[in-house]
C-alpha cells in the first residue's frame, strides 16, 4: 500500500506577458496578453512506507511546484493525489498533522523568537503530548548538536544551526510523510553530512515516506535508491539510481597503471583510437571508452603494454545526470 | 476552541517579550494616537459651536460616540493591524506556505498572530476615555443598557476587523501592495460620524453591505433609545453573515494563491 499516490497531475500557471519599458507597462494596463506556463505535466508515481525517493531536476523544472501541490499549498489544474488516503488540497487537519515540508530556502521559524519558543507553539498546534515533546526535543537536539542553542533567538544563529532547528521543528510531530526541498542548500560540507545522516537515522527509526529534492548529488546518493528525474514538468526517468548510470551513460572509464611512465606520443595516439584520454600523469592513464569496446580495449592494453593494475569504473553519476538534465537525450525514451 | 485560546496566549506572550526591546516605538505610538484623539475632539467641538444637535445627538452624546470610536480603533490597532499590514506582502512573496500547512485555521493564524503589544497602552487610554464620557453624562444608564452597549460594541469591533480583512483578500488576485486597503480607509470615514446624518442609499449601504454604521454609531444610539432589541438582532446577523462571507472569500483566495517560489 503506497502512502503517496499521484495520478496524471498537471499544473498550469497563467502569467501575463509584459513588453519592455514604460510603454510596455502602459499597454499591459489596457490589453493584457497571457501565456500559459506548464509547470507540471502529467506526473504519476507512488511512494511506499519507509521509501525515500530523490526528485532531480534543473531550476524551474517543477520540483517545488510538485511538492507544494502534494502538501496542499497550491491547487493542481488537473489530476489527483492521495496521501495517507487524503486529498491534500482539502487541507484536513488530520492530514496536515501527518505531513511535513522542509524548504531550505524558506524559513518557518519566527525570526525574533528562540527555537524553544517556536517549538512550544508547534507543540500546541500539533497537540503533541508532553512526554513525546520532551523526548523528541532532547533526542533531536543532542543528535544535531544544537541543545545549547535552543534559547537563542533564531536570527542570531548561523545558517547551518538554523537549518538544524528547522529540521527539529518539522519532525516534532513525527510526520508519516515528509517532503524535503533542498534541505542542505548553502550549508558547509560538514553540516550537510550531519543533516544527511540525521535524516537517514530518522527514516530508519520511523519509516515515513519521503520525497527529497537536492542539487547536491551527495545527498541523493547517500539517501535515495530510487530517483525521479523531472524536466520541464515531465518525469523523464523513474527507477533505481544505479540503473540510471548503466542505461544512460554509454561510457565507462578504464584506469590503467603502467609499469613505467608512458612518455611517448605514440601510446597516446594509440589509445585515442579507443577512447578519450581523461587523465595522463606519471604511470596513470584514465581512458573513457564506450561500453561496447571495453573488452577490446582492455585486451589490447594488456597485450601491448606492461600493466601493474587495471580497473573499470562507471562514469561519475552526477555527470550522467547533468547530461540528462541538460540535453534532450531522454525525450524519446519512455521505457521506465 | 480551547486550543485556539492557548495558541492566542502564546501569541500574546511572544509579542510582549518582543516589544520590550523597542521602547521608542512604544512611546511613539502613544503620541501618534493622542494626536489623532485630539484632532477628532477638536473637530466636533468646533462643529458644536455652530449647532446644538448633530444627527440627533448633543455634544455630551457625541463624546460617548467619540470614546467608542477610539476603543474600536485601539482594539483594531493592537489586535489586528500588524497582521493585516503584513498579509499582502506575505501573499505576494509566497510566504503563506508554512501557515497553510499547519493543522490550525490559517485565517485565525494570519489575522491574530502578531499582537501589537506596543499599542497596548492606547487601549487603556481609549477605554478610560470612554468610561469617563459615560460617567460625566448628565443622566445615568440602566445596567442592561450598558451590557447591550458593550455587546454591540464588541460586534462593532468584529465587523470593523472583518471588513478590513475582506478588503485585503483581493490581493490574492491583484498582487498589489495593500489589497484594497485604501478604499477601505475611505469608506471607514463614514463610520466616524453619527449614522443619523446619512439618508437614502448611503444609509442603506452603511447598514448592510458595508455596515460601518454598526461599528460605533448604532451601539451608542441604543443608550438613548427605548427599544434597542432590533438593533441588537440586526448587528448580530451582520456579524454572522460577514464572517461566513469572509471565510468563503478567504478560501477562494487561497485557491488562487500561487506561492511565488524563492
Amino acid at each position: 500500500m503506497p502512502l503517496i499516490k499521484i495520478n496524471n497531475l498537471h499544473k498550469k500557471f497563467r502569467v501575463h506577458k509584459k513588453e519592455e519599458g514604460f510603454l510596455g507597462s502602459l499597454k499591459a494596463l489596457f490589453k493584457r496578453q497571457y501565456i500559459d506556463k506548464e509547470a507540471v505535466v502529467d506526473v504519476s508515481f507512488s511512494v511506499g512506507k519507509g521509501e525515500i525517493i530523490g526528485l532531480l531536476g534543473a531550476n524551474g523544472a517543477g520540483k517545488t511546484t510538485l511538492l507544494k501541490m502534494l502538501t496542499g499549498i497550491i491547487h493542481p489544474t488537473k489530476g489527483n493525489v492521495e496521501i495517507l488516503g487524503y486529498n491534500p488540497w482539502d487541507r484536513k487537519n488530520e492530514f496536515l498533522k501527518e505531513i511535513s515540508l522542509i524548504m531550505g530556502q524558506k524559513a518557518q521559524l519566527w525570526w525574533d523568537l528562540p527555537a524553544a519558543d517556536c517549538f512550544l507553539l508547534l507543540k500546541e498546534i500539533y497537540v503533541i503530548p508532553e512526554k513525546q515533546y520532551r523526548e523528541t526535543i532532547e533526542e533531536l537536539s543532542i543528535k544535531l548538536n544544537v541543545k545549547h542553542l535552543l534559547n537563542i533567538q533564531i536570527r542570531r544563529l548561523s545558517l547551518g544551526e538554523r537549518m538544524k532547528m528547522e529540521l527539529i521543528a518539522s519532525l516534532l510531530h513525527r510526520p508519516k510523510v515528509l517532503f524535503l526541498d533542498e534541505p542542505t542548500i548553502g550549508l558547509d560540507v560538514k553540516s550537510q553530512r550531519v543533516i544527511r545522516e540525521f535524516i537517514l537515522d530518522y527514516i530508519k527509526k520511523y519509516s515515513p515516506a519521503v520525497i527529497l529534492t537536492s542539487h547536491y548529488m551527495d545527498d541523493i546518493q547517500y539517501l535515495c535508491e530510487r530517483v525521479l528525474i523531472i524536466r520541464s514538468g515531465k518525469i523523464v526517468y523513474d527507477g533505481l539510481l544505479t540503473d540510471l548510470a548503466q542505461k544512460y551513460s554509454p561510457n565507462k572509464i578504464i584506469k590503467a597503471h603502467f609499469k613505467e611512465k608512458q612518455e611517448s606520443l605514440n601510446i597516446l595516439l594509440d589509445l585515442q583510437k579507443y577512447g578519450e584520454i581523461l587523465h595522463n600523469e606519471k604511470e596513470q592513464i584514465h581512458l573513457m571508452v564506450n561500453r561496447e569496446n571495453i573488452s577490446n580495449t582492455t585486451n589490447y592494453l594488456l597485450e601491448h603494454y606492461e600493466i601493474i593494475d587495471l580497473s573499470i569504473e562507471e562514469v561519475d553519476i552526477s555527470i550522467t545526470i547533468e547530461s540528462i538534465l541538460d540535453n534532450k537525450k531522454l525525450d524519446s525514451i519512455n521505457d521506465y | 476552541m480551547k486550543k485556539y485560546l492557548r495558541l492566542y496566549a502564546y501569541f500574546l506572550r511572544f509579542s510582549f517579550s518582543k516589544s520590550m526591546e523597542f521602547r521608542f516605538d512604544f512611546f511613539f505610538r502613544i503620541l501618534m494616537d493622542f494626536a489623532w484623539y485630539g484632532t477628532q475632539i477638536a473637530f466636533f467641538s468646533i462643529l458644536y459651536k455652530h449647532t446644538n444637535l448633530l444627527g440627533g445627538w448633543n455634544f455630551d452624546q457625541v463624546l460617548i460616540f467619540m470614546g467608542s470610536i477610539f476603543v474600536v480603533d485601539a482594539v483594531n490597532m493592537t489586535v489586528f493591524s500588524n497582521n493585516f499590514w503584513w498579509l499582502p506582502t506575505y501573499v505576494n512573496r509566497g510566504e503563506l506556505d508554512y501557515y497553510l500547512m499547519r493543522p490550525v485555521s490559517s485565517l485565525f493564524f494570519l489575522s491574530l498572530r502578531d499582537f501589537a503589544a506596543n499599542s497596548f497602552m492606547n487601549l487603556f487610554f481609549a477605554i478610560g476615555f470612554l468610561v469617563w464620557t459615560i460617567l460625566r453624562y448628565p443622566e445615568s444608564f440602566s445596567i442592561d443598557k450598558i451590557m447591550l452597549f458593550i455587546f454591540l460594541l464588541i460586534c462593532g469591533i468584529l465587523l470593523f476587523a472583518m471588513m478590513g480583512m475582506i478588503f485585503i483578500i483581493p490581493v490574492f488576485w491583484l498582487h498589489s501592495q495593500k489589497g484594497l486597503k485604501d478604499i477601505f480607509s475611505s469608506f471607514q470615514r463614514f463610520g466616524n460620524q453619527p449614522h443619523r446624518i446619512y439618508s437614502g442609499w448611503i444609509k442603506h449601504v452603511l447598514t448592510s453591505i458595508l455596515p460601518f454604521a454598526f461599528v460605533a454609531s448604532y451601539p451608542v444610539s441604543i443608550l438613548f433609545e427605548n427599544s434597542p432589541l432590533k438593533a441588537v438582532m440586526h448587528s448580530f446577523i451582520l456579524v454572522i453573515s460577514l464572517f461566513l462571507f469572509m471565510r468563503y472569500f478567504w478560501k477562494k483566495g487561497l485557491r488562487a494563491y500561487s506561492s511565488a517560489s524563492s
Side-chain angles (χ1 to χ4, degrees), chain A residues 128-144:
Chain A
I128 304 168
E130 182 69 30
K131 190 162 168 276
Q132 181 192 327
Y133 173 75
R134 276 173 197 278
E135 282 171 8
T136 317
I137 293 216
E138 180 78 9
E139 183 200 335
L140 302 190
S141 62
I142 288 174
K143 256 186 209 162
L144 289 171

Side-chain angles (χ1 to χ4, degrees), chain A residues 68 73-75 91 93 96 101 103 105-108 110 112-113 117 120-121 124-126 153, chain B residues 3 6 10 13-14 18 21 94 97-104 109 113 254-255 257 259-260 262:
Chain A
K68 282 180 182 166
I73 293 171
I74 53 176
H75 287 246
R91 277 208 292 273
N93 285 350
L96 296 172
L101 167 70
M103 291 183 272
Q105 311 208 40
K106 277 187 189 176
Q108 62 175 315
W110 294 349
D112 298 312
L113 296 175
D117 280 356
L120 270 176
L121 194 68
E124 290 299 327
I125 291 176
Y126 288 98
Q153 278 177 320
Chain B
K3 176 174 160 187
R6 289 171 68 135
Y10 274 109
R13 212 186 91 187
F14 293 159
K18 193 175 96 185
E21 283 182 46
D97 298 6
Y98 284 115
Y99 295 99
L100 298 182
M101 281 190 52
R102 306 291 182 210
V104 200
F109 218 127
R113 180 186 76 98
L254 288 183
R255 273 196 80 96
Y257 175 60
S259 176
S262 36

Side-chain angles (χ1 to χ4, degrees), chain A residues 8-134:
Chain A
N8 311 101
L9 198 63
H10 285 263
K11 178 69 189 182
K12 234 189 258 176
F13 282 116
R14 210 159 168 236
V15 281
H16 76 258
K17 208 169 75 182
K18 193 181 90 72
E19 284 167 42
E20 265 174 57
F22 175 70
L23 273 178
S25 307
L26 206 63
K27 232 164 113 183
L29 205 58
F30 296 103
K31 197 178 158 204
R32 235 168 226 208
Q33 280 188 313
Y34 289 97
I35 34 173
D36 283 335
K37 193 175 162 264
E38 305 234 35
V40 169
V41 186
D42 200 21
V43 165
S44 306
F45 65 92
S46 48
V47 188
K49 191 170 188 289
E51 189 178 12
I52 170 162
I53 66 160
L55 187 61
L56 300 170
N59 288 332
K63 294 175 305 227
T64 306
T65 307
L66 183 58
L67 291 190
K68 282 180 182 166
M69 282 194 280
L70 300 184
T71 45
I73 293 171
I74 53 176
H75 287 246
T77 315
K78 222 166 49 181
N80 64 68
V81 175
E82 210 179 276
I83 296 178
L84 300 160
Y86 296 102
N87 178 352
W89 41 97
D90 287 346
R91 277 208 292 273
K92 287 221 170 73
N93 285 350
E94 295 84 0
F95 164 73
L96 296 172
K97 269 185 192 172
E98 304 289 0
I99 64 158
S100 213
L101 167 70
I102 300 166
M103 291 183 272
Q105 311 208 40
K106 277 187 189 176
Q108 62 175 315
L109 299 173
W110 294 349
W111 218 230
D112 298 312
L113 296 175
D117 280 356
C118 295
F119 296 161
L120 270 176
L121 194 68
L122 290 171
K123 176 182 175 252
E124 290 299 327
I125 291 176
Y126 288 98
V127 200
I128 304 168
E130 182 69 30
K131 190 162 168 276
Q132 181 192 327
Y133 173 75
R134 276 173 197 278

Side-chain angles (χ1 to χ4, degrees), chain B:
Chain B
M1 190 61 197
K2 213 176 136 198
K3 176 174 160 187
Y4 285 94
L5 285 176
R6 289 171 68 135
L7 278 177
Y8 199 66
Y10 274 109
F11 294 164
L12 290 181
R13 212 186 91 187
F14 293 159
S15 49
F16 271 103
S17 61
K18 193 175 96 185
S19 70
M20 293 307 150
E21 283 182 46
F22 309 106
R23 273 207 323 212
F24 173 73
D25 194 43
F26 208 76
F27 293 115
F28 185 68
R29 286 212 182 201
I30 293 175
L31 212 68
M32 286 281 288
D33 270 22
F34 267 70
W36 184 66
Y37 297 161
T39 50
Q40 284 293 311
I41 296 170
F43 172 72
F44 278 99
S45 331
I46 291 165
L47 276 186
Y48 278 92
K49 289 232 157 65
H50 303 279
T51 175
N52 290 326
L53 283 180
L54 192 69
W57 284 346
N58 59 35
F59 188 63
D60 292 329
Q61 291 168 319
V62 149
L63 269 185
I64 298 180
F65 172 64
M66 207 72 53
S68 311
I69 293 267
F70 295 165
V71 169
V72 172
D73 177 72
V75 173
N76 186 60
M77 289 308 273
T78 11
V79 179
F80 301 104
S81 69
N82 276 1
N83 301 288
F84 289 2
W85 176 261
W86 285 110
L87 189 59
T89 316
Y90 285 173
V91 172
N92 291 332
R93 286 204 210 138
E95 283 174 19
L96 294 193
D97 298 6
Y98 284 115
Y99 295 99
L100 298 182
M101 281 190 52
R102 306 291 182 210
V104 200
S105 155
S106 51
L107 191 56
F108 164 82
F109 218 127
L110 286 158
S111 47
L112 293 172
R113 180 186 76 98
D114 195 351
F115 181 89
N118 40 14
S119 296
F120 196 57
M121 290 307 282
N122 295 353
L123 201 55
F124 285 115
F125 285 123
I127 291 174
F129 181 75
L130 176 61
V131 171
W132 176 73
T133 57
I134 290 174
L135 291 178
R136 69 174 283 286
Y137 192 71
E139 292 161 43
S140 62
F141 303 107
S142 68
I143 193 78
D144 18 317
K145 273 205 170 166
I146 294 285
M147 295 306 278
L148 278 178
F149 166 67
I150 292 172
F151 174 78
L152 274 184
L153 197 61
I154 291 171
C155 287
I157 288 166
L158 292 175
L159 286 173
F160 189 79
M162 291 193 288
M163 280 190 279
M165 189 52 151
I166 286 166
F167 276 87
I168 292 171
I169 293 175
V171 79
F172 281 107
W173 296 276
L174 300 172
H175 300 290
S176 57
Q177 291 292 308
K178 299 191 228 166
L180 299 173
K181 231 171 150 201
D182 290 340
I183 300 180
F184 175 78
S185 309
S186 322
F187 281 130
Q188 183 198 334
R189 296 205 189 114
F190 283 103
N192 288 351
Q193 331 297 337
H195 70 274
R196 286 205 204 283
I197 68 169
Y198 304 111
S199 59
W201 63 271
I202 296 182
K203 187 184 157 195
H204 288 297
V205 170
L206 292 178
T207 54
S208 58
I209 331 170
L210 297 168
F212 283 103
F214 275 89
V215 171
S217 189
Y218 263 90
V220 172
S221 70
I222 68 149
L223 287 174
F224 318 119
E225 275 168 24
N226 288 323
S227 56
L229 249 83
K230 214 176 127 201
V232 174
M233 281 304 288
H234 192 156
S235 176
F236 191 65
I237 289 167
L238 280 172
V239 170
I240 301 291
S241 38
L242 214 60
F243 177 74
L244 291 175
F245 174 71
M246 173 182 70
R247 230 179 44 167
Y248 167 79
F249 199 29
W250 174 252
K251 284 198 173 147
K252 278 268 166 215
L254 288 183
R255 273 196 80 96
Y257 175 60
S258 57
S259 176
S261 219
S262 36

